[in-house]
Amino acid sequence: MKLYAERTFRIDTENAFKVGPHIDRVEEEIGAVVKLNLGEPDFPVPTHIKDEIKRQLDLDNTHYCDPKGLITLRRAIAKQVGETRGLKVSAERVVVFPGGKPSIGLVQQVYCSPGNEVIYPSPGFPIYESMIEFVGGVPVPMQLHESSAFNVDIDEIEARITDRTKLMIVNSPNNPCGSVIPKEDLQRLANLAKEHDIAVLSDEIYNRFLYEGEHHSIAAFPGMRDRTIILDGLSKSYAMTGWRIGYGVMPQELVEPISRLATNSVSCTASFTQIAALEALSGPQERSYSMVEEFKKRRDIIVAGLNDIPGIRCPLPLGAFYVFPSIEETEITSQVFAESLLSEAGVASLAGESFGRFGNGYIRFSFANSVGNLEIALERIRNFVRSR
Ligand code: PLP
């Protein structure tokens, strides 16, 4: 153990990936499991995107490329981000990565000297806290309260800001709660960031999965573009999770150091995937938007179904594709609930604590699954709760 740096064992993980082997075991024992644990659209990647990647392989476009990403793709990203956020974005501010996730760790490395504080949502995507800890930063969780539709409390955030606060992470729509930060709150967060000279990592990976209203980026508020890094990618919007393609849009001065950090670890993102991503962004968008329409129907089915089960209280998520119901009244802990629901009833979910300690008493179900499977899951959850 002494051989290793102390931080080696400070790194945490995503439980969504850890349940895989348990699911396999349960399937051998009791049969098919309904998998509501992973956050990935169940739709196939549209044919024109698959055709493009095949074509690129046949053309032998399989070599190293610019570590910042292909300029054609960076331009298309700048255009889409600019249009969807009402923001002027140039391709020079875009860096392409293998997924949305790399931005999280790279940004912590850039902003976080040991002892610096980072404010982040909790319940929240577990990689935020994991990477803050790993780089020696101080995690400052901001509780999302169910009583305020799982939104941030701006006064609470203000009270937690110190002269060591360097970065604030916002995630709207949020994983796991499905909450969306109202525009007025984003404005107040932007004011706080400017007043206290804090950078913002705005995780907008679910920006297209919005069931009411329109998406607002904190980067679009006056004076925010040069202190915000937008994280986004194609994993969710185009169902391209395993393709590993995402990007960061950042202040100009960060592009060089952040892309060097990426060069030091991955050299570049696969060139043929980037060209297929260009096809995704510039080709027809109907499939992507119809997927969101379908998810809205599923959301309504799962929320109504869960609220109909005594002991479960399920708020309506406004975005993303997760529900985060309270199971407190069942008097079963989240951990036991998730484990037993899988092993006894064949439904895979995640305990709320997988998203930080404020997730205690909650369960996350992904509704990126067919209506048929959601109905089977609801029936199994109902019987499971009744049997307790
Ligand atoms: N940010 C959030 C909030 C997520 O939920 C995820 C994936 O689940 C990511 C980032 C990472 O996305 P990617 O798979 O593109 O790395």
Side-chain angles (χ1 to χ4, degrees), residues 36-71:
L36 306 185
N37 54 308
L38 260 187
E40 65 177 345
D42 55 322
F43 289 85
V45 173
T47 311
H48 66 103
I49 306 175
K50 289 194 284 204
D51 286 346
E52 186 59 28
I53 202 165
K54 289 178 205 162
R55 210 169 70 82
Q56 294 306 321
L57 291 176
D58 287 340
L59 289 169
D60 288 319
N61 265 339
T62 53
H63 302 284
Y64 287 136
C65 61
D66 186 340
K68 296 188 182 76
L70 299 178
I71 187 64

Side-chain angles (χ1 to χ4, degrees), residues 12-204:
D12 205 348
T13 187
E14 246 191 285
N15 284 346
F17 287 107
K18 273 180 33 189
V19 274
H22 300 293
I23 295 177
D24 294 344
R25 207 191 53 238
V26 173
E27 290 202 314
E28 272 170 29
E29 284 165 11
I30 65 168
V33 165
V34 184
K35 301 175 190 79
L36 306 185
N37 54 308
L38 260 187
E40 65 177 345
D42 55 322
F43 289 85
V45 173
T47 311
H48 66 103
I49 306 175
K50 289 194 284 204
D51 286 346
E52 186 59 28
I53 202 165
K54 289 178 205 162
R55 210 169 70 82
Q56 294 306 321
L57 291 176
D58 287 340
L59 289 169
D60 288 319
N61 265 339
T62 53
H63 302 284
Y64 287 136
C65 61
D66 186 340
K68 296 188 182 76
L70 299 178
I71 187 64
T72 43
L73 177 61
R74 293 168 70 208
R75 283 192 194 119
I77 291 168
K79 182 168 178 285
Q80 194 186 69
V81 172
E83 284 168 4
T84 50
R85 276 68 168 193
L87 182 67
K88 204 170 165 339
V89 181
S90 72
E92 283 67 41
R93 287 176 177 256
V94 177
V95 183
V96 177
F97 300 119
K101 202 182 254 175
S103 289
I104 300 172
L106 294 171
V107 166
Q108 306 304 332
Q109 291 180 64
V110 167
Y111 283 101
C112 225
S113 303
N116 286 163
E117 295 172 5
V118 182
I119 294 176
Y120 64 101
S122 182
F125 190 48
I127 302 307
Y128 305 146
E129 187 174 317
S130 170
M131 285 309 301
I132 299 165
E133 298 257 17
F134 188 67
V135 300
V138 180
V140 182
M142 272 301 110
Q143 186 170 3
L144 305 182
H145 301 274
E146 186 193 336
S147 56
S148 51
F150 287 120
N151 259 314
V152 283
D153 180 326
I154 315 275
D155 296 330
E156 215 175 297
I157 293 187
E158 186 163 17
R160 303 287 297 274
I161 293 175
T162 72
D163 53 8
R164 290 182 306 280
T165 310
K166 297 291 170 212
L167 183 70
M168 176 159 70
I169 303 179
V170 294
N171 173 217
S172 178
N174 170 276
N175 173 13
C177 305
S179 45
V180 171
I181 306 180
K183 193 173 177 194
E184 315 75 73
D185 283 1
L186 281 177
Q187 172 73 73
R188 289 185 66 200
L189 287 173
N191 292 346
L192 281 183
K194 285 184 283 184
E195 197 179 315
H196 297 275
D197 197 16
I198 298 169
V200 175
L201 170 62
S202 182
D203 184 342
E204 303 180 17

Side-chain angles (χ1 to χ4, degrees), residues 21 47 63 93 115 125 131 167 216 228 241 260 277 283 285 308 365 379:
T47 311
H63 302 284
R93 287 176 177 256
F125 190 48
M131 285 309 301
L167 183 70
H216 298 287
T228 306
T241 50
R260 281 189 195 189
Q285 302 296 301
D308 204 37
F365 295 107
E379 189 57 29

Side-chain angles (χ1 to χ4, degrees), residues 99-101 125 128 171 175 203 205-206 231 235-236 244 322:
K101 202 182 254 175
F125 190 48
Y128 305 146
N171 173 217
N175 173 13
D203 184 342
I205 197 99
Y206 296 103
L231 174 165
S235 302
K236 316 286 176 179
R244 309 313 301 138
Y322 310 105

